[in-house]
Amino acid sequence: MIGPYLLAGDIAAAAAVVTVPLIVLVLFFQRHIIEGLIQGASRNRRYQGMKG
């Protein structure tokens, strides 16, 4: 039901529909996410050393 008459169950179902695929994507791509974070951190550290 759409409008001001949403029930708590409807909100919980909508939250699950949005959250579950995001969790699946993060778990599927977690290696790439971590590699990108590490690569960005090491690149940033390298540039900071060149400035100082």
Side-chain angles (χ1 to χ4, degrees), residues 2 4-6 8 13 15 20 25 29 33 36 38 41 43 45 47 50:
I2 298 175
Y5 303 108
L6 285 174
V20 171
L25 284 173
F29 290 110
I33 294 169
I38 291 171
R43 185 178 301 151
R45 175 169 264 181
Y47 287 139
M50 293 174 73

Side-chain angles (χ1 to χ4, degrees), residues 2-51:
I2 298 175
Y5 303 108
L6 285 174
L7 300 174
D10 294 333
I11 295 170
V17 166
V18 170
T19 304
V20 171
L22 287 174
I23 291 172
V24 170
L25 284 173
V26 167
L27 291 176
F28 187 74
F29 290 110
Q30 69 182 358
R31 180 177 292 168
H32 298 288
I33 294 169
I34 297 300
E35 286 176 358
L37 289 172
I38 291 171
Q39 188 176 32
S42 64
R43 185 178 301 151
N44 189 20
R45 175 169 264 181
R46 200 175 330 143
Y47 287 139
Q48 286 180 348
M50 293 174 73
K51 287 180 186 176

